[in-house]
Amino acid sequence: MDEEREEEFFGKVRKALDIGDAGRAEKLLYEIEERNAEWYYLQSLVFREKMWFSESRKSIKKAIKLEPKNKEYRTALKELEQKAKENRKKERAEQKERERHAQQMGATDKADAALCQAICEGLCDGCNGC
């Protein structure tokens, strides 16, 4: 693919991501056979949109390896790592809240707690102290 056509194609992928259409962006990406730094960068954005942080990190690192001086890619990696850290923190807090709620409901071990969580999620869309 020549450089001009590639730039146009990647522009379409970026536009799809800008409007939140990760599915279309991903479909467009997989139409391109050549995998260069921009391709891996855009793939990482698709994965990030899907909240697949581990996969996103792998792709952005491939992009950086191919273009180590690209500031956009490096900035994206920093933002991704911050977002992943925040997500892990949120997940830990939610897990602690589910465990607290399970104890309040009388769970005595992990099996009881898991059962309580499953029941609560089915009844009230999450174990939020119902």
Side-chain angles (χ1 to χ4, degrees):
M1 180 180 296
D2 66 35
E3 195 172 315
E4 186 177 313
R5 188 157 180 256
E6 183 179 274
E7 195 172 305
E8 179 185 331
F9 208 81
F10 286 146
K12 289 179 182 180
V13 174
R14 285 178 181 266
K15 284 180 184 176
L17 287 166
D18 287 345
I19 63 169
D21 193 350
R24 173 142 174 76
E26 185 173 33
K27 184 180 178 211
L28 287 167
L29 270 178
Y30 287 108
E31 290 178 15
I32 301 172
E33 290 183 30
E34 187 177 327
R35 307 294 197 252
N36 61 17
E38 181 75 1
W39 190 93
Y40 284 110
Y41 168 69
L42 293 171
Q43 183 188 48
S44 80
L45 296 181
V46 167
F47 289 158
R48 186 177 73 186
E49 188 72 25
K50 293 180 170 190
M51 298 184 72
W52 297 355
F53 298 119
S54 179
E55 292 85 353
S56 181
R57 187 171 188 269
K58 288 175 189 173
S59 292
I60 193 63
K61 286 191 158 231
K62 285 180 185 178
I64 291 169
K65 187 175 182 177
L66 292 169
E67 285 187 28
K69 295 182 181 180
N70 188 304
K71 289 182 182 181
E72 182 180 25
Y73 302 167
R74 291 189 171 282
T75 299
L77 178 60
K78 287 178 186 175
E79 290 172 357
L80 174 66
E81 288 175 342
Q82 181 61 36
K83 179 80 171 166
K85 182 179 177 181
E86 290 169 5
N87 195 53
R88 283 191 302 272
K89 185 177 179 181
K90 180 182 173 187
E91 287 175 355
R92 282 192 301 270
E94 289 172 353
Q95 180 62 29
K96 283 184 181 185
E97 178 59 26
R98 287 191 296 271
E99 289 170 1
R100 183 194 61 76
H101 178 66
Q103 286 177 341
Q104 287 176 340
M105 299 301 292
T108 57
D109 59 23
K110 286 187 177 189
D112 284 348
L115 179 60
C116 176
Q117 289 173 18
I119 292 168
C120 285
E121 288 172 5
L123 295 174
C124 63
D125 194 29
C127 210
N128 296 318
C130 57

